[in-house]
């Protein structure tokens, strides 16, 4: 999840019923652990002091909480939610300017998602969100907030942008991983100097507007990289026998049951792959 996470679901339920995003942390006896600025209740200032109310978080508070920050601050960040698909870039820039960007820690979103297989945390979250959106569409009481179609359209666009950026970041990481000394060391040239021998093609655009540092990225030409005599033996030493298998290995990095041999995926690669697949397979619109 990235800085595109700009939707507030707390308005759909009372602060004490909210379970999906930013639920109350519980004490050992099962009762809510209520702490001003660290729970999901809106704060107001009375006589110079922050006081909890029974109202849900407002947008600036919500974004602070997603970042694991305390909302009981003197001045809240000057940010407002997007009001249309065309307004997403503006909302994103505001989050960046206020240092509310980057990856969100899932344990801050929902501490209960930590249970079970840790590599499945993003998948479980996306599945829960899909179920919640479905219930909003079907439940007359929850739908009393009005037509949610436009919001779902923005959410779907956000998810597609997240997929594009995550895939781009994977390719950028892959080029470095294949080149590094502690990676595959595909960097020694004919004259003995060291520079990447990973073959790439023209820059690819993610299609995501804004000034993100990975709006453009290089695609790897895996067959050409494998065919380079300087690389072939190194890659074959990883149990990969052809350029096609090399590309398949890279495309499947993170799958639990890949179709080709090669170095096993790390836990972070598994989690990364599962997150992308979950966002692709669990379209907010198609499922609801």
């Amino acid at each position: 999840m990235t800085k595109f996470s700009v939707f507030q679901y707390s308005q759909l339920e009372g602060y004490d019923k909210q379970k999906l995003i930013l639920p109350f942390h519980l004490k050992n006896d099962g009762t809510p652990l209520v702490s001003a600025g660290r729970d999901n209740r809106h704060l107001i200032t009375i006589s110079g002091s922050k006081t909890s109310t029974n109202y849900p978080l407002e947008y600036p508070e919500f974004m602070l909480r997603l970042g694991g920050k305390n909302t009981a601050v003197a001045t809240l960040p000057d940010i407002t939610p997007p009001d249309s698909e065309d307004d997403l870039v503006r909302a994103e820039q505001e989050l960046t300017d206020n240092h509310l960007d980057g990856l969100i820690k899932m344990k801050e979103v929902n501490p209960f998602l930590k249970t079970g297989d840790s590599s499945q945390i993003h998948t479980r979250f996306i599945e829960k969100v899909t179920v919640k959106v479905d219930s909003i569409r079907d439940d007359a009481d929850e739908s009393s907030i009005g037509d949610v179609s436009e919001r779902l359209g923005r959410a779907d666009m956000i998810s597609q942008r997240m997929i594009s950026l995550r895939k781009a970041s994977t390719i950028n990481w892959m080029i470095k991983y294949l080149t590094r000394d502690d990676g595959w060391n595909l960097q020694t040239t004919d004259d003995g100097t060291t520079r990447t021998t990973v073959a790439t093609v023209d820059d690819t655009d993610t299609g995501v507007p804004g000034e993100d540092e990975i709006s453009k990225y290089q695609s790897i030409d895996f067959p050409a990289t494998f065919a380079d005599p300087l690389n072939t033996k190194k890659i074959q030493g990883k149990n990969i026998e052809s350029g096609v298998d090399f590309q398949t290995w890279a495309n499947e990095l993170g799958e639990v049951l890949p179709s080709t041999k090669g170095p096993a995926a790390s836990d972070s690669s598994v989690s990364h792959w599962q997150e992308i697949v979950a966002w692709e397979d669990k379209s907010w619109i198609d499922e609801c």
Side-chain angles (χ1 to χ4, degrees), residues 144-217:
S144 63
I145 63 172
D147 185 5
V148 298
S149 298
E150 185 177 355
R151 297 187 194 184
L152 292 179
R154 294 202 297 271
D156 190 57
M157 176 174 284
I158 287 172
S159 69
Q160 295 306 315
R161 290 181 179 181
M162 287 165 53
I163 292 168
S164 296
L165 291 176
R166 292 290 272 170
K167 287 182 175 179
S169 66
T170 298
I171 295 298
N172 285 347
W173 168 83
M174 180 72 72
I175 294 173
K176 295 178 182 178
Y177 174 56
L178 294 175
T179 301
R180 294 195 317 250
D181 288 338
D182 59 347
W184 289 38
N185 197 28
L186 305 183
Q187 59 177 328
T188 304
T189 59
D190 286 318
D191 60 6
T193 58
T194 56
R195 60 175 175 77
T196 180
T197 50
V198 176
T200 58
V201 296
D202 293 340
D203 284 353
T204 304
D205 198 321
T206 62
V208 177
E211 299 179 357
D212 195 284
E213 61 182 4
I214 56 173
S215 60
K216 291 183 180 297
Y217 62 100

Side-chain angles (χ1 to χ4, degrees), residues 33-254:
L33 177 61
V34 180
S35 175
R38 287 290 185 184
D39 56 41
N40 54 3
R41 297 185 298 174
H42 172 56
L43 298 179
I44 58 174
T45 301
I46 299 180
S47 300
S49 299
K50 294 284 186 176
T51 302
S52 296
T53 69
N54 289 337
Y55 296 102
L57 298 173
E58 294 186 350
Y59 179 76
E61 297 171 313
F62 180 72
M63 285 303 167
L64 285 176
R65 287 278 284 116
L66 279 184
K69 300 179 180 180
N70 197 312
T71 62
V73 294
T75 304
L76 292 172
D78 184 17
I79 56 177
T80 55
D83 58 15
S84 67
E85 292 184 358
D86 295 334
D87 197 32
L88 290 175
V89 174
R90 191 273 314 162
E92 173 202 342
Q93 190 60 51
E94 281 187 352
L95 294 177
T96 300
D97 293 343
N98 286 274
H99 308 291
L100 294 171
D101 53 357
L103 297 179
I104 293 173
K105 295 180 179 179
M106 294 303 295
K107 67 179 182 180
E108 299 291 349
V109 176
N110 188 321
F112 308 116
L113 291 171
K114 293 187 298 182
T115 59
D117 183 358
S118 60
S119 68
Q120 295 282 342
I121 188 169
H122 288 97
T123 303
R124 290 198 299 271
F125 173 71
I126 294 166
E127 288 175 346
K128 288 180 178 293
V129 169
T130 300
V131 170
K132 172 54 66 177
V133 173
D134 195 21
S135 71
I136 294 170
R137 282 245 171 124
D138 293 340
D139 190 294
D141 293 331
E142 292 187 351
S143 293
S144 63
I145 63 172
D147 185 5
V148 298
S149 298
E150 185 177 355
R151 297 187 194 184
L152 292 179
R154 294 202 297 271
D156 190 57
M157 176 174 284
I158 287 172
S159 69
Q160 295 306 315
R161 290 181 179 181
M162 287 165 53
I163 292 168
S164 296
L165 291 176
R166 292 290 272 170
K167 287 182 175 179
S169 66
T170 298
I171 295 298
N172 285 347
W173 168 83
M174 180 72 72
I175 294 173
K176 295 178 182 178
Y177 174 56
L178 294 175
T179 301
R180 294 195 317 250
D181 288 338
D182 59 347
W184 289 38
N185 197 28
L186 305 183
Q187 59 177 328
T188 304
T189 59
D190 286 318
D191 60 6
T193 58
T194 56
R195 60 175 175 77
T196 180
T197 50
V198 176
T200 58
V201 296
D202 293 340
D203 284 353
T204 304
D205 198 321
T206 62
V208 177
E211 299 179 357
D212 195 284
E213 61 182 4
I214 56 173
S215 60
K216 291 183 180 297
Y217 62 100
Q218 289 183 312
S219 297
I220 298 175
D221 187 334
F222 289 95
T225 300
F226 180 89
D228 187 330
L230 295 169
N231 298 330
T232 304
K233 287 187 177 180
K234 292 179 181 179
I235 298 173
Q236 286 177 332
K238 304 286 187 181
N239 292 321
I240 296 174
E241 296 301 321
S242 70
V244 173
D245 287 345
F246 187 26
Q247 181 158 11
T248 301
W249 170 83
N251 290 342
E252 295 179 350
L253 186 62

Side-chain angles (χ1 to χ4, degrees), residues 256-277:
V256 177
L257 296 174
S259 62
T260 59
K261 295 180 180 180
S266 64
D267 289 343
S268 60
S269 292
V270 172
S271 177
H272 183 95
W273 177 82
Q274 288 176 337
E275 178 184 353
I276 289 176
V277 170

